Each structure stands twice: as C-alpha cells, then as structure tokens.
C-alpha cells in the first residue's frame, strides 16, 4: 500500500533516467515517494507492466487510481510538470 503519492520508474541499472529520479526524489522529499524497478532483475514485473521501452515512469496518486505514465526519456521539467500538476495539484514550478 502507498502512504503517499508515488513515482515508479521501470528502467535498467545504468539508464540516464536514474540520475533524474535521484534529483527529483531530493526535490520532493516528504511529498512524493520515488521507487525504481530494475527491469534487468525483475523481468516478470516488466512484462506485467507492459514495458516496451525504458524508462517507463508511472505517476501514482495515493489512492492508486488513474495512474498516468510516460515512456521514454524526457527533460527533467517534463517530470516536474506532471508531479506538480497531476500528483500535487499545484501549478508547475518548471514554467
């Protein structure tokens, strides 16, 4: 069960998204939890999620309903926009 809104990134060990995830986790510490699923070690989970390209980043509200996703690499501001506007319900700070 989630205790807070969350961002789940399904990616490979050395993927560039991992640095973005780390910086976003610091930025949103105490507001949004960030998780990483290493698809190299969790192939069954990757299949269940339908990962066809990495990273697959899922934005999960605390109630677990209406999960939004982004597949592929985007600028950090794109992730900030979704977290701010969708998960936290506030204007994005990236604009």
């Amino acid at each position: 069960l989630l205790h807070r809104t969350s961002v789940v990134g399904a990616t490979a060990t050395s993927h560039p998204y991992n640095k973005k995830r780390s910086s976003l986790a610091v930025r949103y510490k105490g507001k949004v939890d960030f998780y990483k699923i290493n698809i190299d070690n969790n192939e069954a989970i990757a299949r269940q999620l339908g990962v066809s390209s990495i990273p697959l980043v899922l934005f999960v509200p605390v109630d677990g309903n209406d999960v939004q996703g982004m597949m592929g690499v985007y600028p950090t501001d794109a992730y900030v926009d979704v977290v701010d506007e969708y998960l936290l319900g506030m204007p994005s700070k990236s604009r």
Side-chain angles (χ1 to χ4, degrees):
L1 287 184
L2 299 175
H3 300 285
R4 193 177 359 242
T5 56
S6 302
V7 176
V8 178
T11 188
T13 303
S14 61
H15 196 279
Y17 168 76
N18 294 329
K19 288 184 181 179
K20 292 180 184 198
R21 180 189 52 80
S22 295
S23 68
L24 290 167
V26 169
R27 180 179 186 146
Y28 292 103
K29 185 176 181 176
K31 295 179 183 175
V32 178
D33 291 334
F34 285 77
Y35 299 96
K36 176 182 146 189
I37 298 171
N38 184 330
I39 64 166
D40 295 331
N41 300 331
N42 297 287
E43 293 177 15
I45 293 173
R47 278 193 303 276
Q48 287 176 338
L49 292 174
V51 177
S52 62
S53 179
I54 58 173
L56 170 62
V57 181
L58 302 174
F59 301 90
V60 185
V62 73
D63 65 8
N65 294 319
D66 200 24
V67 173
Q68 300 291 316
M70 295 170 71
M71 194 172 292
V73 179
Y74 291 87
T76 300
D77 285 350
Y79 301 111
V80 168
D81 288 345
V82 177
V83 171
D84 285 350
E85 295 173 4
Y86 179 69
L87 292 180
L88 299 178
M90 55 191 223
S92 176
K93 296 174 186 167
S94 76
R95 295 182 193 159

